[in-house]
Amino acid sequence: MPFSPGNTFIRVRAAIGWRLRGVFGDRRVDSVMIACARRWRPLLRKPLFIGVTGSAGKTTTKELLLGMLGQRGGAVGNDGSYSNIDKIAEALLRLMPWHSYFVTELSGHRSGEMDENLPLVRPSIGIVTIIGDDHASAEYPREAIIREKSKLVAALPPTGTAVLNADDPAVLGMAAVCKAKVITYGISPNADLRAEDVRSVWPERLQMTLLRGGERVALHTRLCGTHWVPAVLGTVCGGLAAGMTLAECAQALASVEPFDGRMQPVTTPGGVTFLRDDFKAPWWALETCFEFMSNARAKRKIVVIGELSDIRSGKGKKYEQTAIRAQEVSDIVVFVGPWAYSALKALRHGHEDALRAFGHVRDASEYINSITRDGDLVLLKGSGKTDHLLRILLARSENIACWRDDCGQNCFCNQCDQRMKPSGAPLLLSPQASADVTPGTESAPSTRIEPGEQVIVGLGNPEARYAGTPHNIGYELVDLLAASLGLSWSTLPEAWIARGELAGQRVCLIKIRLAMNATGAGLKRLSRDMGFDPEQCVLVLDDLALPIGAVKMRQHGGAGGHRGVASILEAFQTDAVRRIKIGVGQAGLSIKQAEYVLTPFDAPSRAAMDAALTTATTRLRDILTHPAVVAAGASPART
């Protein structure tokens, strides 16, 4: 950074701010900073103040404006997408009298938020991008979001300019509350600024023809995807409102590169191009990415999807629908995260390798980086604050140390120094990590599982200290079955096995001798050795979501937060595994759930579980003797 009075001030301010926060705490420092910004703002006469709001595209619009206007004079804006009042105040305090522009996002995440931000910024240009369902809820419905964001337009002075998206009726309707001049943009023929000849087919970037009255100007951007057209047009209108010509806007925008985590292409030394769209992943906005991938030209197209946001209900079904659509536009689809296994319902017969699901980013990273090759185009679509998919890309050239799925860091991994060294919290265990189990006699039947034989897998932890706990109720049921049938247990390195006959059916009872989250790896190895498929398996497990003593059967589905089930679905890459779930949930627990499931039952709970084990045994007999009826969701008739 070259020397200047402004740069010196910024360095001193950052150093002082860091020390003050350590002494006084964030809240007090933020209060003082906001108060200082309120006093500083009236002294700033030269800079032109621009506010940007909307449900999507506002960060890109803001960054494009900073890149475009910054070529005409000094421009300052809020960092990233941080648009709370303390972050706006922090940005405003970086603004010097010699700067020409201040551009900031103005959030409307909650009712009344604009009332805090607008008096501080006092913009003369306001840009509204689009109204979506982000942050909508029963307490804050879409209509309230529209009212909140329209406050920016209503607050503009008569000498100012409102820039409105003509393609969004909710945004266009804000002109009714505006005292300032209004400029509209969009594809609509009635828009003041329009775009024609829009195209963006990878590896080409977004380009279009800008039309304003009788003026036509070609624009070639560095952006990827036609869904950025509203952001580009809004930016150009912002430039026009600031006194630039259409040709000047086009020339300045041509050199602005894509921004971190927003359809940002990164090509690796091996010739694999990652398209980073990992800042956020609202479900309603996925189609724009899928359209881009559908039209893209590449040897192979791979889509990686992490945590989806803005899903109010039916999350599992939404993941399944997303998987169906993603397979239509790509060669390989990979889902990552706790809901990833719900996508496995969309598996297509004969194309099982085209859809994969992983619970943890590290496992997905190992798989993706093992299959990618020169010429592949890989879309990373996730929520940066939640799943940190960027580690998949970074792992190609770095030894990533932090693979936590719950780090809580609100930044991209390339900005976090913890990625190269272990954090204070324990890292995730390897799925292949086994428990510390004292081995028994290593002898077992050498015969393979028969085609019609049913494999009943009781889930639990093998150590004796976990006996009689909620997490070991699956072990208990198969132990009771073995005792009632007079079967003895044989010991393999990864499991205890007992084979016999139940309800006229050959059965193989299994207890995996590995830690719960490694159950899938052990069962997968056993399936290869003994020759059975996941469709032959019936899992017996505890379920915190069911009240204690309740019993429920499922033919397929996600893991429901159960790490043992998650490891099995991941190992076999299918959700078509039958299961009997025994409720262990209790309301008003005084201890954490993770501690509760590893604590022995008290006397009343023990009685409820004994009754539940009897019910579960009956349900298991139903599965074996009336499989078609059970699969249809009905209960077999009993005499």
Side-chain angles (χ1 to χ4, degrees):
M1 180 181 290
F3 174 80
S4 73
N7 291 339
T8 302
F9 176 82
I10 290 171
R11 286 170 173 161
V12 172
R13 183 193 58 81
I16 294 174
W18 179 78
R19 286 168 175 80
L20 288 175
R21 287 180 182 277
V23 175
F24 298 106
D26 288 342
R27 181 173 297 180
R28 185 174 297 180
V29 171
D30 287 342
S31 297
V32 172
M33 188 166 56
I34 293 169
C36 290
R38 284 174 175 153
R39 291 180 177 272
W40 181 236
R41 170 64 181 90
L43 303 177
L44 298 168
R45 304 286 185 178
K46 177 184 178 182
L48 181 64
F49 287 81
I50 303 174
V52 184
T53 194
S55 297
K58 58 182 178 292
T59 300
T60 298
T61 302
K62 180 259 299 182
E63 294 291 348
L64 288 172
L65 278 165
L66 288 172
M68 181 180 71
L69 296 173
Q71 298 179 37
R72 286 170 53 93
V76 175
N78 65 298
D79 291 333
S81 61
Y82 300 116
S83 54
N84 295 331
I85 189 168
D86 56 310
K87 297 300 182 182
I88 295 174
E90 183 179 343
L92 203 151
L93 290 174
R94 295 199 305 269
L95 188 65
M96 295 292 102
W98 52 82
H99 287 131
S100 299
Y101 305 99
F102 181 76
V103 187
T104 185
E105 296 175 51
L106 293 170
S107 174
H109 294 171
R110 56 179 173 81
S111 181
E113 191 168 13
M114 284 287 185
D115 299 329
E116 299 175 354
N117 297 335
L118 286 170
L120 175 62
V121 179
R122 293 160 52 189
S124 58
I125 298 176
I127 301 173
V128 187
T129 59
I130 192 172
I131 302 297
D133 292 331
D134 286 37
H135 311 291
S137 64
E139 296 76 21
Y140 191 40
R142 192 170 188 272
E143 293 73 18
I145 295 174
I146 295 171
R147 287 195 300 270
E148 186 67 23
K149 295 184 183 297
S150 68
K151 291 178 181 178
L152 167 60
V153 177
L156 296 173
T159 55
T161 305
V163 177
L164 304 179
N165 184 352
D167 296 331
D168 187 330
V171 175
L172 188 60
M174 295 179 186
V177 299
C178 185
K179 302 183 295 289
K181 176 184 177 182
V182 174
I183 301 177
T184 61
Y185 66 88
I187 305 298
S188 168
N190 297 321
D192 296 319
L193 177 69
R194 295 183 292 119
E196 288 185 352
D197 304 324
V198 176
R199 54 200 181 278
S200 178
V201 178
W202 179 264
E204 298 172 0
R205 306 298 178 91
L206 173 64
Q207 50 191 295
M208 68 194 77
T209 300
L210 302 175
L211 294 87
R212 186 191 184 203
E215 189 177 7
R216 300 173 64 92
V217 175
L219 170 60
H220 297 264
T221 78
R222 300 293 299 155
L223 304 179
C224 298
T226 58
H227 58 290
W228 294 126
V229 170
V232 170
L233 294 179
T235 299
V236 172
C237 281
L240 295 175
M244 297 179 68
T245 67
L246 199 60
E248 288 173 337
C249 291
Q251 182 179 6
L253 280 176
S255 61
V256 180
E257 292 289 339
F259 313 109
D260 273 2
R262 292 173 175 84
M263 296 297 280
Q264 175 195 14
V266 180
T267 301
T268 68
V272 178
T273 297
F274 285 83
L275 195 60
R276 286 188 53 202
D277 201 40
D278 55 326
F279 177 72
K280 65 177 181 177
W283 182 76
W284 62 271
L286 286 175
E287 185 57 31
T288 57
C289 294
F290 292 155
E291 288 180 2
F292 180 88
M293 293 297 288
S294 176
N295 296 324
R297 299 190 297 267
K299 289 182 179 178
R300 286 193 312 174
K301 291 179 274 190
I302 300 172
V303 172
V304 182
I305 299 175
E307 181 73 12
L308 301 179
S309 60
D310 299 304
I311 299 178
R312 301 182 191 178
S313 62
K315 197 165 187 176
K317 187 64 177 178
K318 295 292 195 303
Y319 271 76
E320 180 185 357
Q321 293 170 355
T322 301
I324 293 172
R325 178 65 176 130
Q327 290 178 91
E328 294 172 353
V329 303
S330 61
D331 300 290
I332 300 173
V333 181
V334 179
F335 279 81
V336 190
W339 285 88
Y341 310 110
S342 298
L344 292 174
K345 297 185 185 71
L347 277 170
R348 298 175 297 166
H349 181 67
H351 298 84
E352 287 78 9
D353 289 341
L355 177 62
R356 307 281 292 185
F358 298 92
H360 304 301
V361 177
R362 180 182 58 183
D363 301 317
S365 176
E366 292 175 355
Y367 173 73
I368 292 164
N369 289 329
S370 71
I371 65 167
T372 47
R373 54 181 184 258
D374 178 51
D376 285 347
L377 178 64
V378 184
L379 171 68
L380 296 180
K381 184 64 177 177
S383 301
K385 299 177 183 179
T386 305
D387 45 39
H388 300 287
L389 295 185
L390 178 57
R391 288 175 291 181
I392 297 172
L393 171 57
L394 296 176
R396 299 179 73 90
S397 57
E398 297 179 6
N399 183 21
I400 302 297
C402 179
W403 287 104
R404 291 183 56 191
D405 294 318
D406 58 348
C407 74
Q409 295 293 326
N410 191 15
C411 65
F412 286 124
C413 294
N414 58 346
Q415 302 165 350
C416 178
D417 59 1
Q418 295 299 314
R419 75 180 191 275
M420 299 297 289
K421 60 183 179 182
S423 61
L427 301 181
L428 291 171
L429 293 174
S430 166
Q432 285 73 38
S434 63
D436 182 14
V437 183
T438 302
T441 304
E442 306 298 334
S443 62
S446 59
T447 56
R448 293 170 65 82
I449 297 294
E450 300 172 5
E453 191 171 355
Q454 301 296 294
V455 179
I456 303 170
V457 184
L459 302 192
N461 287 297
E463 297 96 323
R465 61 194 172 106
Y466 296 125
T469 66
H471 229 16
N472 270 40
I473 201 67
Y475 266 24
E476 285 194 39
L477 186 134
V478 292
D479 279 334
L480 287 174
L481 277 179
S484 68
L485 297 174
L487 306 180
S488 58
W489 291 98
S490 299
T491 305
L492 288 175
E494 62 274 293
W496 290 290
I497 294 177
R499 301 179 72 175
E501 191 171 296
L502 174 64
Q505 295 281 333
R506 290 287 298 169
V507 295
C508 176
L509 310 181
I510 293 178
K511 295 186 294 182
I512 299 296
R513 298 175 60 216
L514 302 175
M516 181 68 83
N517 64 345
T519 300
L523 189 63
K524 180 68 173 179
R525 289 195 294 269
L526 206 61
S527 72
R528 288 195 298 261
D529 294 341
M530 300 187 71
F532 60 85
D533 298 320
E535 291 79 10
Q536 292 176 259
C537 296
V538 181
L539 310 181
V540 184
L541 61 134
D542 59 293
D543 191 339
L544 278 167
L546 292 176
I548 192 161
V551 178
K552 185 176 181 180
M553 295 185 293
R554 288 196 70 183
Q555 295 294 310
H556 53 75
H562 196 289
R563 290 190 174 185
V565 177
S567 70
I568 291 171
L569 302 186
E570 184 167 314
F572 288 96
Q573 287 298 308
T574 179
D575 76 325
V577 184
R578 296 165 296 170
R579 56 206 86 168
I580 295 177
K581 304 194 294 183
I582 302 175
V584 298
Q586 295 199 48
L589 288 175
S590 59
I591 60 176
K592 294 181 179 179
Q593 289 185 343
E595 183 180 349
Y596 165 70
V597 296
L598 301 178
T599 302
F601 291 111
D602 57 23
S605 298
R606 182 68 262 176
M609 297 316 299
D610 290 340
L613 288 170
T614 300
T615 302
T617 302
T618 302
R619 297 288 189 273
L620 182 58
R621 291 177 181 271
D622 291 341
I623 289 176
L624 299 180
T625 56
H626 305 281
V629 176
V630 171
S635 298
R638 298 187 180 91
T639 58

